[in-house]
Amino acid sequence: MSRAAKKSRRRPGAKEAAKQIRLVVAALILRETETGREVLVCQRRPEQAMALKWEFPGGKIEAGESPEAALRRELNEELGIEAVIGPRITRLRHNYRNGGAVDLQFFTVHEFKGALENRIFNDMQWTLLPRLPEFDFLAADLSLIQDLASGKLL
Ligand SMILES: Nc1nc2c([nH]c(=O)n2[C@@H]2O[C@H](COP(=O)(O)OP(=O)(O)OP(=O)(O)O)[C@@H](O)[C@H]2O)c(=O)[nH]1
Protein backbone atom coordinates (compact mmCIF):
# COMPACT_ATOMS: atom_id res chain seq x y z
CA MET A 1 0.00 0.00 0.00
CA SER A 2 1.30 3.46 -0.85
CA ARG A 3 2.19 5.83 1.92
CA ALA A 4 -0.65 8.15 0.88
CA ALA A 5 -3.19 5.30 1.06
CA LYS A 6 -1.93 4.28 4.52
CA LYS A 7 -2.23 7.86 5.68
CA SER A 8 -5.84 8.14 4.49
CA ARG A 9 -6.77 4.93 6.40
CA ARG A 10 -5.26 6.18 9.63
CA ARG A 11 -7.68 6.71 12.53
CA PRO A 12 -8.08 10.37 13.52
CA GLY A 13 -5.49 11.40 16.09
CA ALA A 14 -5.94 13.77 18.99
CA LYS A 15 -5.31 16.78 16.80
CA GLU A 16 -8.01 15.90 14.27
CA ALA A 17 -10.44 14.81 17.01
CA ALA A 18 -10.06 18.17 18.71
CA LYS A 19 -11.11 19.82 15.47
CA GLN A 20 -14.31 17.83 15.09
CA ILE A 21 -17.41 19.90 15.46
CA ARG A 22 -19.28 19.35 18.71
CA LEU A 23 -23.04 19.42 18.20
CA VAL A 24 -24.49 21.19 21.20
CA VAL A 25 -27.99 22.14 22.33
CA ALA A 26 -28.82 24.73 24.97
CA ALA A 27 -31.96 26.15 26.55
CA LEU A 28 -33.28 29.62 27.10
CA ILE A 29 -35.47 28.83 30.10
CA LEU A 30 -37.82 31.80 30.42
CA ARG A 31 -40.15 33.11 33.09
CA GLU A 32 -42.34 36.19 33.32
CA THR A 33 -41.94 38.42 36.37
CA GLU A 34 -43.43 41.79 37.39
CA THR A 35 -40.29 43.54 36.13
CA GLY A 36 -40.11 41.68 32.82
CA ARG A 37 -39.03 38.46 31.19
CA GLU A 38 -36.14 36.59 32.81
CA VAL A 39 -33.85 33.84 31.54
CA LEU A 40 -31.84 31.30 33.52
CA VAL A 41 -28.04 31.60 33.19
CA CYS A 42 -25.46 29.18 34.57
CA GLN A 43 -21.80 29.52 35.51
CA ARG A 44 -19.14 26.90 34.71
CA ARG A 45 -17.12 25.50 37.58
CA PRO A 46 -13.53 26.64 38.36
CA GLU A 47 -11.99 23.29 37.34
CA GLN A 48 -13.71 23.17 33.93
CA ALA A 49 -12.30 24.48 30.66
CA MET A 50 -13.37 28.10 30.16
CA ALA A 51 -13.68 28.30 33.92
CA LEU A 52 -16.32 30.53 35.51
CA LYS A 53 -17.74 31.64 32.17
CA TRP A 54 -21.52 31.84 31.93
CA GLU A 55 -23.58 29.73 29.54
CA PHE A 56 -27.08 28.43 28.99
CA PRO A 57 -27.82 24.95 30.36
CA GLY A 58 -27.44 22.14 27.85
CA GLY A 59 -24.70 19.99 26.34
CA LYS A 60 -23.63 17.69 23.55
CA ILE A 61 -26.04 15.71 21.41
CA GLU A 62 -25.32 11.98 21.69
CA ALA A 63 -25.35 9.58 18.73
CA GLY A 64 -28.89 8.83 17.58
CA GLU A 65 -30.51 11.55 19.69
CA SER A 66 -32.70 14.32 18.31
CA PRO A 67 -31.70 17.82 19.46
CA GLU A 68 -34.89 18.06 21.54
CA ALA A 69 -34.31 14.69 23.22
CA ALA A 70 -30.71 15.66 23.97
CA LEU A 71 -31.84 18.91 25.55
CA ARG A 72 -34.52 17.20 27.66
CA ARG A 73 -31.88 14.75 28.90
CA GLU A 74 -29.32 17.47 29.67
CA LEU A 75 -31.84 19.64 31.53
CA ASN A 76 -32.88 16.65 33.59
CA GLU A 77 -29.26 15.78 34.44
CA GLU A 78 -28.14 19.34 35.15
CA LEU A 79 -31.24 20.88 36.74
CA GLY A 80 -33.48 17.98 37.72
CA ILE A 81 -36.44 19.17 35.62
CA GLU A 82 -38.71 17.63 32.98
CA ALA A 83 -38.74 20.37 30.37
CA VAL A 84 -41.14 21.01 27.51
CA ILE A 85 -38.81 22.03 24.66
CA GLY A 86 -40.19 24.96 22.65
CA PRO A 87 -39.12 26.29 19.25
CA ARG A 88 -35.52 26.60 18.16
CA ILE A 89 -34.68 30.29 18.04
CA THR A 90 -31.22 30.25 16.54
CA ARG A 91 -28.35 28.07 15.40
CA LEU A 92 -24.75 29.22 15.18
CA ARG A 93 -21.21 27.98 14.70
CA HIS A 94 -18.13 29.11 16.51
CA ASN A 95 -14.46 28.19 16.22
CA TYR A 96 -12.76 28.37 19.59
CA ARG A 97 -9.11 29.45 19.67
CA ASN A 98 -7.93 26.02 20.83
CA GLY A 99 -9.11 24.60 17.47
CA GLY A 100 -12.40 23.19 18.78
CA ALA A 101 -15.59 24.10 16.91
CA VAL A 102 -19.15 24.07 18.19
CA ASP A 103 -22.46 23.98 16.37
CA LEU A 104 -24.95 25.42 18.84
CA GLN A 105 -28.74 25.20 18.68
CA PHE A 106 -30.77 27.22 21.17
CA PHE A 107 -34.35 26.32 22.10
CA THR A 108 -36.80 28.18 24.32
CA VAL A 109 -38.33 26.49 27.35
CA HIS A 110 -41.44 28.07 28.90
CA GLU A 111 -42.65 25.09 30.88
CA PHE A 112 -41.14 22.40 33.03
CA LYS A 113 -42.08 20.00 35.79
CA GLY A 114 -40.10 19.71 39.01
CA ALA A 115 -38.13 22.14 41.14
CA LEU A 116 -35.01 23.69 39.61
CA GLU A 117 -31.98 22.30 41.34
CA ASN A 118 -28.38 23.33 40.69
CA ARG A 119 -26.68 19.95 40.24
CA ILE A 120 -23.46 20.85 38.43
CA PHE A 121 -22.90 24.59 38.07
CA ASN A 122 -20.81 26.96 40.15
CA ASP A 123 -23.75 29.36 40.23
CA MET A 124 -27.11 29.82 38.53
CA GLN A 125 -29.23 32.97 38.31
CA TRP A 126 -32.39 34.37 36.75
CA THR A 127 -31.72 37.60 34.91
CA LEU A 128 -33.72 40.14 32.94
CA LEU A 129 -32.84 39.94 29.23
CA PRO A 130 -31.35 43.50 28.98
CA ARG A 131 -28.93 42.59 31.81
CA LEU A 132 -27.43 39.58 30.01
CA PRO A 133 -24.32 41.51 28.83
CA GLU A 134 -23.31 41.95 32.50
CA PHE A 135 -22.42 38.23 32.63
CA ASP A 136 -19.10 37.00 31.25
CA PHE A 137 -20.52 34.56 28.67
CA LEU A 138 -18.71 31.99 26.51
CA ALA A 139 -17.43 33.58 23.30
CA ALA A 140 -19.73 31.49 21.10
CA ASP A 141 -22.77 32.98 22.83
CA LEU A 142 -21.89 36.67 22.53
CA SER A 143 -23.87 37.51 19.38
CA LEU A 144 -26.92 35.79 20.84
CA ILE A 145 -26.48 37.71 24.10
CA GLN A 146 -26.49 41.00 22.19
CA ASP A 147 -29.60 40.02 20.22
CA LEU A 148 -31.47 38.92 23.35
CA ALA A 149 -30.47 42.01 25.31
CA SER A 150 -31.56 44.38 22.55
CA GLY A 151 -34.89 42.63 22.06
CA LYS A 152 -34.06 41.40 18.52
CA LEU A 153 -34.84 37.79 19.39
CA LEU A 154 -37.82 36.71 21.54
N1 LIG B 1 -24.31 24.13 27.50
C1 LIG B 1 -23.74 25.07 26.75
N2 LIG B 1 -22.58 24.78 26.09
C2 LIG B 1 -22.05 25.78 25.36
C3 LIG B 1 -22.68 27.07 25.27
N3 LIG B 1 -21.91 27.85 24.46
C4 LIG B 1 -20.83 27.09 24.07
O1 LIG B 1 -19.90 27.44 23.35
N4 LIG B 1 -20.92 25.82 24.62
C5 LIG B 1 -19.92 24.77 24.46
O2 LIG B 1 -20.54 23.56 24.11
C6 LIG B 1 -19.94 22.45 24.77
C7 LIG B 1 -20.97 21.75 25.62
O3 LIG B 1 -20.43 20.59 26.07
P1 LIG B 1 -20.87 19.89 27.44
O4 LIG B 1 -21.67 20.82 28.29
O5 LIG B 1 -21.45 18.59 27.12
O6 LIG B 1 -19.50 19.57 28.15
P2 LIG B 1 -18.36 20.46 28.76
O7 LIG B 1 -18.84 21.84 29.03
O8 LIG B 1 -17.79 19.69 29.91
O9 LIG B 1 -17.32 20.54 27.56
P3 LIG B 1 -16.31 19.44 26.98
O10 LIG B 1 -16.84 18.08 27.31
O11 LIG B 1 -16.32 19.74 25.50
O12 LIG B 1 -15.00 19.75 27.62
C8 LIG B 1 -18.80 22.99 25.60
O13 LIG B 1 -17.61 22.88 24.89
C9 LIG B 1 -19.20 24.46 25.77
O14 LIG B 1 -18.08 25.26 25.92
C10 LIG B 1 -23.87 27.32 25.98
O15 LIG B 1 -24.46 28.41 26.00
N5 LIG B 1 -24.36 26.28 26.71
Side-chain angles (χ1 to χ4, degrees):
M1 192 188 297
S2 74
R3 199 192 285 183
K6 267 190 197 152
K7 200 174 175 190
S8 70
R9 282 175 48 151
R10 187 159 65 87
R11 290 168 66 85
K15 212 169 166 190
E16 286 90 342
K19 284 188 182 153
Q20 277 172 10
I21 295 181
R22 281 163 292 167
L23 297 177
V24 175
V25 281
L28 302 172
I29 305 180
L30 298 161
R31 72 173 188 189
E32 299 297 334
T33 69
E34 280 175 10
T35 42
R37 190 183 272 170
E38 292 184 335
V39 65
L40 188 75
V41 295
C42 301
Q43 188 180 38
R44 296 168 71 83
R45 291 190 311 274
E47 70 275 17
Q48 275 184 293
M50 299 187 276
L52 302 176
K53 291 276 185 184
W54 290 81
E55 66 181 13
F56 295 105
K60 289 188 276 290
I61 303 177
E62 290 176 1
E65 257 183 342
S66 68
E68 289 85 354
L71 190 52
R72 268 194 303 275
R73 174 184 51 73
E74 289 284 353
L75 297 180
N76 185 256
E77 290 169 8
E78 296 179 350
L79 304 170
I81 58 171
E82 296 292 333
V84 179
I85 310 300
R88 186 175 80 182
I89 62 148
T90 192
R91 180 173 192 169
L92 54 91
R93 270 214 188 166
H94 183 81
N95 297 315
Y96 277 104
R97 279 195 198 157
N98 62 8
V102 281
D103 173 299
L104 282 160
Q105 300 184 60
F106 293 91
F107 292 80
T108 53
V109 169
H110 290 274
E111 265 184 82
F112 58 84
K113 276 195 210 147
L116 271 181
E117 198 187 311
N118 179 358
R119 291 187 174 171
I120 62 154
F121 297 105
N122 192 57
D123 190 8
M124 160 173 124
Q125 287 184 33
W126 288 101
T127 178
L128 290 165
L129 298 181
R131 303 196 69 163
L132 278 171
E134 295 172 21
F135 294 82
D136 184 16
F137 261 85
L138 288 172
D141 295 15
L142 293 179
S143 61
L144 171 66
I145 294 303
Q146 287 310 322
D147 288 350
L148 290 170
S150 63
K152 270 197 210 153
L153 274 172
L154 298 180

